[in-house]
Amino acid sequence: QWAVFEPNGERLWANVRHTSGVEAIKNDAIASVVRASIRVRYRGDLTAAMRVVHGSTTYNIVAVLPDIGGKEYVDLACEVLQ
């Protein structure tokens, strides 16, 4: 699924793939964690302090994984807490 990602107000196309999901009971409430991989064109200014917003979903960036060899893309390992 392709989405639009806007770091620093600049639009980027992003490929969003949900890789896994887990549900658990925490503090007597059901909590779920969805893990996703988001791929964007290579850029050096993305950090784990940023977030990706796609529709009504906000993804927390856990790790920034650049394509060091070819500098074609950056994979963002993300989580959504629900």
Side-chain angles (χ1 to χ4, degrees):
Q1 176 179 4
W2 287 93
V4 178
F5 173 45
E6 299 185 28
N8 304 323
E10 183 181 344
R11 281 191 122 164
L12 291 178
W13 285 100
N15 184 337
V16 180
R17 292 182 300 122
H18 292 121
T19 57
S20 68
V22 185
E23 267 192 356
I25 297 176
K26 293 183 180 179
N27 298 327
D28 295 327
I30 296 177
S32 65
V33 177
V34 176
R35 290 185 176 84
S37 177
I38 300 175
R39 181 171 281 186
V40 297
R41 283 190 176 170
Y42 185 87
R43 43 188 304 153
D45 61 345
L46 300 176
T47 69
M50 295 177 167
R51 294 184 187 157
V52 178
V53 177
H54 176 244
S56 62
T57 305
T58 301
Y59 296 89
N60 295 316
I61 299 175
V62 176
V64 177
L65 309 168
D67 170 29
I68 306 267
K71 292 190 176 182
E72 293 182 29
Y73 59 85
V74 175
D75 286 321
L76 305 173
C78 300
E79 287 185 343
V80 178
L81 304 175
Q82 298 175 339

